[in-house]
Structure formats: C-alpha cells, structure tokens
Amino acid sequence: MQAPQLLQHRSSAFHPCRSAAATIKLVLHRPRVAPRATQSAFVSHGALHLLSSAGWCASRSQKRCTNAQRHVPQAAATSGAAVADAAAPAPGWPGAKPVPLLISIAIGVALRFLVPIPSGITVQAWTLLSIFVSTITGLVLEPLPTGAWAFLSVTAAVFTKTLTFSQAFSAFCNDVIWLIVVSFFFAKGFEKTGLGERVATLFVKAFGKSTLGLAYGLAFAEGLIAPAMPSTTARAGGIFMPIMKSLSETSGSLPGTESANKLGKFLVQAQFQGSVHTSALFLTAAAQNLLCLKLATEMGVVIASPWVTWLKGAFAPALVGLLVTPFIMYKLCPPEIKNTPEAPAAAAERLQKMGPMSRDEKIMLGTMAFAVVLWVTGDAIGVSSVVAAMLGLSVLLVTGVLKWKDCLNYPPAWDTLFWFAVLVGMSGQLNSLGVIKYFADVVGGKLVAMNMGWPAVFGLLNVAYFLLHYMFASQTAHVGALYSAFLAMMLSAGVPGMLAALSLAYCSNLFGSVTHYGSGQGAVYYGAGYVSLKEIFSMGALMAVINLTIWGVVGAAWWKVLGFY
C-alpha cells in the first residue's frame, strides 16, 4: 500500500469510517457495558475495537474500513465478551449487580456493627468511616456506575444523619473540582477542533523514519498535549491508539496474530508504559493529580504555586522515564520492522489533506497557551488556577469554538464533578472528625518506634501505596481511598510535608500501567488486541520496578536539589 493510502481525510458525515472524535462521542454516549472509574473517561471494553479502528482508517473505500475492523482479534473479542458478561446484571434484573452490591454494603455494615469502635473515635466518625469503606468497595466492585454509586453513598450519609446536607455536598464548591471540570471542556475542544490529532501527526512526520523514532515521536506528542487534556483515557482512545493501529495495519501488523510482533505490540507497549510519565509530568495532565493536592491541603500540606511546583518536581524523573521507556520496550519486545520510511510521507499526506490550521484550531491553541501562562504566573498576579481555566473556557465559548451544548453533552465532565465531589467531601469530613489522624498516629507511632528513620518509612510507604493498586480498578478510587491515610502516616513519621504529598501524587500516576484494569488507558491499549493479558501483567510488573527505581533515585536526588527536604 502506498503511503498516501495510510491516512484518512477528515471525513464528512457520509464517510463509512467514523472520525476519532465522532467515535469517542459515540462511546461516551452509548450505554456502558462495563463502566470503569478512570482518570476521567469511561470506555466500555466492547467499544474499544470500534474506537481503535477509527480516525486514521484509509479513505479509499468502505471495503478498506470493513477489512480493518475484521482484523479485531478473536482473543480480544473473547476477552471483551468476558468483561461484558462479568459486568452484566443478573438475567432479568436491569438494576445494580446483586453480588457486588451485597458485598459492598455488607463490608460497611460489618465494620460499623461488628468491629469495636476504638477509643478516641466518635460514633459519628466510625459510621462515616463505614460508609466511606463501603463507597470505596463499590468503586472497585462496580455494582453501579461510579456516579450512581457515589449518589447512593452520599444519600446514606445524609439519611443516617451522619452528615448534614451541607456537609455532604460541601465539596461541590471546591475550586479544584471545578478546575477538573473545566479541564475536561478543554479536552473537548482539542477533540472537536482536531488540534490534538494535528499535533500527533506532526510528531509522526518529524520522528517516524524508524520504529524507535516513531515511538519517541508519539511519546513526546502526548507530553505536549497532556497539560490541556486531563485524561490519559481520552488521549489514548481519541488520538494515539487510532494512529498506532493504522500505522501497524498498513505495515501488515494485525492484532491477535503473530504479525502483531512486526510493529503493533511494540508501539502499544511503549505508549502505554510511557503514558504514566506524561500524566505525572503536569498537574493538569490527569484528574487524580488535582485530587491529590486537594487532599494534601486538607491534611495541612499547602503547596505554593502548585502548577509550577508540580512541574519542577516531576521534570527530571519524568524526562528520564520518557527517554528510557521506548528504548526499554524496543529491547524487551523488539519489533520485527525496524524502519518505517513510509510513516513520515503518510503523515505529510495526512497533514496536506487536513489543510492549514483552521480558525478554531488557532483559537484553541492560543487559548491553551494563554491558560498555561496564567497557570505558571497566576500566584504572582493573583489569578488562581481555576480562574485561569474559566477565562480560557470563556474565550472558547465567546468565539464559538465550543458551544454550551458541547459542554452539556460531555458526560465525563459532569460525572466526574459528582463522584469526585462526593469522595473529596467524605475524605474531608473524615479528616475533620479525626479518623485519619487516629490511624496515622497509631501506624506512624509503630513505625517510629522501630527506629527506621523517616527516609526508610518514606520509601516503604511509597512502595506499599504503589503495590496496593493491584486491588483497584481506578486510579482516582485508589487516591480517594488511600492517599490521605498514607500521607498522614508519612507526616507522623517525620517525612517533610511537600516531599510526602508530591511523591504519593506522582506514584498515583506511575501505577497506571501495571494492569489492564487499573486505568482507563490500560483498557484502551489492551482492548486494541496487540498485547496479551500475560504480556500486560509481566511487562507491567517489570516496568513497576524500573519506574519506582527511576523516580526513587533520580527523583530523590532532584528533590534534594529543589529543597523538598
């Protein structure tokens, strides 16, 4: 196939292949078969095959698109069916999944009535802890979609008079929550205008002559887009997986077959493992980052100039991670195709078909540059991060780049608003009632009594926090359940506040690639069919060691230079 055939012209409504943006919209609006609390987007496993084949399908004919979708592997299809079957309610019952529902409720009830209340904790505090534990269990087992389960939890807290109505919904006025929501609308702007696809295609053109160069180009393209698109799931499914799938299939590398080793497996593994560093690099690159800092503030750790401080702290270890990850993947799962001379030509053809930047793309680019400048300089000029984001969204609305209907019809933003606010609100009330401090003092006191010193406690707790992610199907659920407790334990052991808060926050990104279920991008990349479940777990475990080493060694030295401790 000639290079020009590789890339799809941005389609009209009548083209047989859907654009990536249209497919994302379809996925986000379709009934969710297996909802997953991810870094902000919810993608059903069964829809991933449609998603990954969209956007960069070749445009010659409907037959080409049909053939591309026929390459969905049997193994992945079987896996998708298994996920759907596991997530489906019992036959004849359209509501919550009975077994996960009963387990989630039973754990909370058992904690409340069967476990003795420790001295120093009130009945109200223990009841709220029971509801919170039940909430987290439900986020993991998913008896209902995340937002619906959060609604049931907050209703239980109000009905039992554990919290007043105003206490239960206090976090809805939280500026960090609204910063996350507005950031989602920026992501919608990237999707709608096609600016994200253009940026990725430019990197393919610049770096794509070799397979390794192609991986580096895609990795750094994600790093450039990440500050304005706070969802690794949206970046993976809406931009990078469609590009990688088209490049792979054009090279004869098909999912679910031996030919996956030609190119597709390497590209998917490199992008998946590298994505944890791009999401850790910027405060606004992932929704859980903002949640971490909000919880840290409630624990008394206030970080000045958060956007800049976060970037400075992550810069050296994240850069090392981005530089070494594609090379490590190149050695551990080497592609059979070493050179891809047709990729830059195909990318150039794609850019030619896209034409010059549209008015909306230019406004989107200028608005994001304006927002980033305000995020960097905001503290000095008295403009908070959320106000900077609101100003940027106002520009997009006034200029018509986004319509208000676009915002109303973007479910991830509103869904995240609700369940994030519930988690933050409950966590804040637990802290106010002294529950987190109580357990932190108990565990922290024992650690101090062992005379380990705070550096040893710091390393031990970070590793434990990281490994516990195997129990979670969501990075944000993990943060909501454990971040405050682990931060409190570190503080009790004498770990400097900024070091403790940021290290745990960076870890909240790094564990996103250890499994296929632990993050939204994991579901997207696994669902493409190029990587087996065994390969996901084995490579995830190996890269967990490598990433913890990079951030533990390079990060520790860098944080010392910055004065974090």
Side-chain angles (χ1 to χ4, degrees):
M1 181 176 291
Q2 298 299 317
Q5 292 178 272
L6 172 63
L7 305 174
Q8 176 197 11
H9 180 67
R10 293 192 68 84
S11 61
S12 69
F14 303 102
H15 196 279
C17 286
R18 290 183 180 274
S19 68
T23 308
I24 287 286
K25 185 174 182 180
L26 171 64
V27 171
L28 292 175
H29 284 78
R30 64 178 291 167
R32 293 168 186 166
V33 175
R36 179 182 304 280
T38 68
Q39 292 179 24
S40 64
F42 301 83
V43 183
S44 67
H45 196 97
L48 292 174
H49 306 300
L50 173 63
L51 177 68
S52 60
S53 62
W56 271 47
C57 289
S59 61
R60 277 205 165 183
S61 67
Q62 183 173 359
K63 181 179 178 181
R64 172 67 181 86
C65 292
T66 304
N67 289 339
Q69 297 200 14
R70 285 176 183 168
H71 292 316
V72 172
Q74 183 64 37
T78 303
S79 173
V83 172
D85 290 343
W93 174 247
K97 291 176 281 184
V99 174
L101 176 66
L102 291 175
I103 293 174
S104 301
I105 294 175
I107 288 177
V109 171
L111 178 62
R112 172 62 182 85
F113 295 105
L114 300 182
V115 178
I117 301 176
S119 59
I121 294 183
T122 64
V123 174
Q124 178 193 11
W126 193 251
T127 303
L128 181 58
L129 177 63
S130 303
I131 295 173
F132 183 74
V133 169
S134 183
T135 301
I136 297 302
T137 305
L139 292 180
V140 174
L141 299 181
E142 296 181 338
L144 285 169
T146 307
W149 184 248
F151 182 80
L152 265 64
S153 299
V154 75
T155 300
V158 175
F159 175 75
T160 58
K161 296 182 171 30
T162 304
L163 296 177
T164 65
F165 189 88
S166 59
Q167 287 174 329
F169 289 91
S170 60
F172 283 83
C173 296
N174 186 284
D175 58 343
V176 173
I177 301 293
W178 284 100
L179 175 57
I180 295 171
V181 173
V182 176
S183 295
F184 274 113
F185 296 146
F186 283 155
K188 177 64 178 178
F190 261 73
E191 172 192 322
K192 182 180 178 182
T193 63
L195 181 59
E197 181 187 357
R198 183 182 294 275
V199 170
T201 306
L202 285 169
F203 274 85
V204 172
K205 179 183 177 182
F207 296 97
K209 289 184 179 180
S210 69
T211 304
L212 183 58
L214 186 59
Y216 275 111
L218 291 170
F220 283 100
E222 181 166 4
L224 185 62
I225 295 170
M229 206 169 186
S231 168
T232 49
T233 309
R235 296 196 298 267
I239 297 175
F240 292 101
M241 194 60 242
I243 292 176
M244 291 187 293
K245 187 174 180 67
S246 183
L247 289 169
S248 300
E249 290 184 347
T250 302
S251 300
S253 181
L254 307 179
T257 67
E258 288 296 322
S259 65
N261 295 319
K262 288 185 176 180
L263 181 62
K265 181 179 295 185
F266 162 70
L267 289 180
V268 169
Q269 286 280 36
Q271 195 70 15
F272 181 31
Q273 296 299 331
S275 66
V276 301
H277 299 290
T278 54
S279 60
L281 183 57
F282 300 100
L283 175 61
T284 51
Q288 72 267 11
N289 296 348
L290 296 157
L291 177 60
C292 286
L293 289 200
K294 176 58 185 174
L295 295 176
T297 301
E298 293 178 352
M299 296 297 297
V301 181
V302 179
I303 297 177
S305 301
W307 204 90
V308 177
T309 303
W310 180 289
L311 176 60
K312 288 196 301 184
F315 182 78
L319 182 60
V320 172
L322 286 172
L323 289 174
V324 303
T325 298
F327 182 76
I328 292 174
M329 293 298 102
Y330 192 76
K331 294 298 183 182
L332 296 180
C333 49
E336 296 174 5
I337 298 175
K338 307 297 183 183
N339 297 304
T340 52
E342 75 284 354
E349 175 69 15
R350 173 68 178 143
L351 289 169
Q352 184 178 0
K353 289 181 178 180
M354 292 177 71
M357 286 184 68
S358 66
R359 165 192 172 273
D360 286 357
E361 284 181 281
K362 292 177 181 178
I363 294 174
M364 187 71 224
L365 180 61
T367 301
M368 282 314 308
F370 169 69
V372 169
V373 169
L374 286 182
W375 285 333
V376 172
T377 63
D379 280 5
I381 61 177
V383 177
S384 67
S385 296
V386 66
V387 172
M390 292 169 65
L391 288 172
L393 178 58
S394 298
V395 171
L396 297 180
L397 291 171
V398 168
T399 57
V401 173
L402 283 180
K403 305 294 185 183
W404 185 240
K405 187 176 181 180
D406 295 326
C407 300
L408 294 176
N409 292 335
Y410 199 57
W414 303 112
D415 196 42
T416 301
L417 167 66
F418 189 85
W419 63 264
F420 249 39
V422 169
L423 279 181
V424 170
M426 283 191 179
S427 179
Q429 292 299 324
L430 283 172
N431 187 48
S432 299
L433 293 171
V435 176
I436 295 175
K437 185 178 185 302
Y438 173 84
F439 286 107
D441 288 344
V442 171
V443 177
K446 291 182 178 180
L447 291 173
V448 171
M450 295 172 64
N451 294 319
M452 298 174 62
W454 75 256
V457 173
F458 169 77
L460 178 64
L461 290 178
N462 266 300
V463 171
Y465 180 76
F466 186 102
L467 294 178
L468 282 170
H469 192 62
Y470 280 98
M471 299 172 58
F472 287 88
S474 161
Q475 289 168 281
T476 46
H478 186 147
V479 170
L482 299 179
Y483 180 87
S484 295
F486 273 75
L487 176 57
M489 285 187 281
M490 285 192 183
L491 296 177
S492 295
V495 180
M498 182 178 294
L499 178 66
L502 288 179
S503 64
L504 289 172
Y506 295 144
C507 266
S508 300
N509 292 282
L510 299 180
F511 52 49
S513 63
V514 295
T515 68
H516 68 301
Y517 60 81
S519 65
Q521 72 267 29
V524 172
Y525 289 129
Y526 171 65
Y530 282 98
V531 184
S532 70
L533 198 58
K534 179 181 178 181
E535 290 167 334
I536 285 283
F537 274 89
S538 60
M539 198 62 68
L542 177 60
M543 290 306 297
V545 175
I546 293 174
N547 288 335
L548 284 173
T549 301
I550 290 173
W551 284 76
V553 176
V554 177
W558 179 243
W559 298 330
K560 181 66 173 178
V561 172
L562 294 176
F564 286 5
Y565 67 98

